Amino acid sequence: MKKLLSLLLALTMAFTLVACGGAEEFELALITDYGTIDDGSFNQGSWEGIVQYAEANNISHKYFQPADEAADAYLNAIDLAVQSGAKVIVTPGFMFETSIFIAQDRYPDVKFILLDGSPNNGDWDNYEGKVGDNVVSIFYAEDQSGFLAGYAMVKDGYRNLGYMGGMAVPPVVRFGHGFVQGAEYAAQELGLADGSININYFYTGTFNPAPEIQTRAAAWYNDGVEVIFVAGGGIFYSVVPAAENEGKFVIGVDVDQSPLSDTVITSALKLVTSSVYDSVEAYYNGRFAGGQTLLYEASNMGIGLPMATSKFNSFSQADYDAIFAKIVSGAVVVNNNTDIAPADLPISAVVVNDQN
């Protein structure tokens, strides 16, 4: 019996060693923020950037989904990715700021690509922030992208618009403020009278779909809103059914969301996929921008509208190129101050019905 137990113990130990030694490892990792990898928005766009580079260069890659939306859960997912051999970890969203603040020191040999955020301790009374040498922090000019969407809608003939954002965090606020300013600029170009454009404006307080969001969107459409700009991840999946039921339209966000519904006229892009691809490529080419904060904006083609798939009535590529060039040159400057209310922006042709 003792010999049998010894043999079983030896076999168990051998199996354990083989299992540990043969565990699959991944060089590139994504930790999802809110929802799933196929959310048609920020997570998916980030993952596609990893996949494009990894598959073209035969590099192992994997994504990890935190157990919940708490900072500790994000940090646990980062720990798991590092244990799985990750050399580069992409974290999409401001909710990763505090976890990356810790992880950048815990794992100095791992590179982190933080989108829409900058590492900090999360204590606003005793604030401490640091972009470590192993971190690149990437932001986007959402105000410019939102401006282009609002401008295009009014130039295309729409007069009754809606903006439905998720949580009122800076990127979402900038999208909305830009949208209002773009609509105003187009109205002024067209010589429209004061109050000609109406925008219903609301933050849902969540990035997740919910029945009450669909109900609100349906009520807006029934009241005459023609198109709603949805800047809030999963809430897209609550607004789209309302648009489909009412025969109305949607503006997508972050990535080209036209494949998700025929109701999508256009999308206010943050070129997330390109920015992730660029940073991963930079790492493998010895040019990782550690310790830096990068801004993707019109001047470096970091934002825009997907004109090839947009369903405009009359707004043309030439119209788009002209307004885009004005933003690049500085002839048009979009206000990106997130501390003011949308109704307090310098507008006259646009009326903002702020419902928060």
Side-chain angles (χ1 to χ4, degrees):
M1 178 62 71
K2 289 182 178 179
K3 289 183 178 179
L4 178 59
L5 290 174
S6 297
L7 178 60
L8 289 173
L9 179 60
L11 289 172
T12 300
M13 291 177 66
F15 176 78
T16 301
L17 289 172
V18 169
C20 292
E24 190 172 4
E25 295 189 348
F26 305 89
E27 284 191 25
L28 298 177
L30 172 80
I31 314 298
T32 64
D33 177 29
Y34 294 118
T36 63
I37 202 64
D38 56 354
D39 63 356
S41 188
F42 216 53
N43 284 324
Q44 185 170 335
S46 302
W47 178 238
E48 288 174 354
I50 289 178
V51 171
Q52 284 181 14
Y53 188 85
E55 291 186 349
N57 295 277
N58 195 29
I59 296 171
S60 56
H61 51 290
K62 183 179 180 179
Y63 69 87
F64 297 80
Q65 187 169 345
D68 56 50
E69 298 172 0
D72 287 345
Y74 291 147
L75 191 56
N76 289 339
I78 291 171
D79 291 339
L80 182 59
V82 173
Q83 292 164 16
S84 298
K87 296 179 180 179
V88 181
I89 298 176
V90 178
T91 54
F94 74 98
M95 290 293 289
F96 284 98
E97 290 181 329
T98 55
S99 54
I100 296 299
F101 184 74
I102 297 170
Q104 64 186 354
D105 291 333
R106 181 180 293 181
Y107 303 113
D109 295 328
V110 176
K111 300 296 188 289
F112 296 94
I113 301 169
L114 173 58
L115 310 181
D116 265 355
S118 184
N120 65 75
N121 63 353
D123 184 348
W124 301 112
D125 293 326
N126 299 284
Y127 181 83
E128 183 180 354
K130 180 183 74 171
V131 180
D133 291 339
N134 56 335
V135 177
V136 58
S137 180
I138 298 177
F139 288 91
Y140 307 86
E142 295 93 355
D143 49 295
Q144 295 178 353
S145 190
F147 179 97
L148 290 169
Y151 179 87
M153 288 300 101
V154 172
K155 293 288 277 191
D156 206 42
Y158 295 93
R159 299 292 180 264
N160 205 337
L161 312 174
Y163 176 75
M164 197 170 288
M167 297 173 65
V169 294
V172 174
V173 174
R174 285 193 291 268
F175 268 129
H177 285 193
F179 187 63
V180 171
Q181 293 174 77
E184 173 71 17
Y185 194 89
Q188 295 296 335
E189 278 193 347
L190 293 170
L192 300 182
D194 290 356
S196 296
I197 307 300
N198 183 78
I199 299 181
N200 283 7
Y201 197 105
F202 180 69
Y203 297 114
T204 65
T206 179
F207 292 111
N208 298 318
E212 58 269 24
I213 297 173
Q214 182 172 340
T215 299
R216 179 181 289 270
W220 282 10
Y221 287 132
N222 282 325
D223 287 342
V225 170
E226 301 162 283
V227 56
I228 298 175
F229 178 16
V230 188
I235 69 173
F236 176 86
Y237 296 100
S238 291
V239 178
V240 163
E244 291 174 343
N245 291 338
E246 303 299 329
K248 299 296 181 67
F249 301 103
V250 170
I251 300 167
V253 78
D254 292 338
V255 299
D256 182 1
Q257 295 188 309
S258 61
L260 302 179
S261 172
D262 290 338
T263 65
V264 177
I265 294 178
T266 191
S267 301
L269 301 181
K270 295 159 62 169
L271 298 187
V272 177
T273 300
S274 297
S275 63
V276 171
Y277 183 98
D278 291 346
S279 292
V280 171
E281 181 183 49
Y283 165 76
Y284 282 100
N285 290 336
R287 297 183 286 101
F288 186 76
Q292 298 184 43
T293 298
L294 307 180
L295 176 63
Y296 277 70
E297 57 182 345
S299 64
N300 55 17
M301 304 300 290
I303 58 91
L305 302 180
M307 292 300 293
T309 58
S310 294
K311 306 181 186 73
F312 295 120
N313 298 310
S314 59
F315 185 70
S316 68
Q317 183 68 51
D319 295 330
Y320 175 76
D321 292 342
I323 191 64
F324 195 92
K326 287 184 178 180
I327 296 175
V328 171
S329 70
V332 169
V333 178
V334 188
N335 187 334
N336 61 4
N337 183 355
T338 60
D339 293 329
I340 60 177
D344 292 334
L345 292 165
I347 50 180
S348 57
V350 172
V351 175
V352 175
N353 302 308
D354 189 346
Q355 302 182 27
N356 293 280

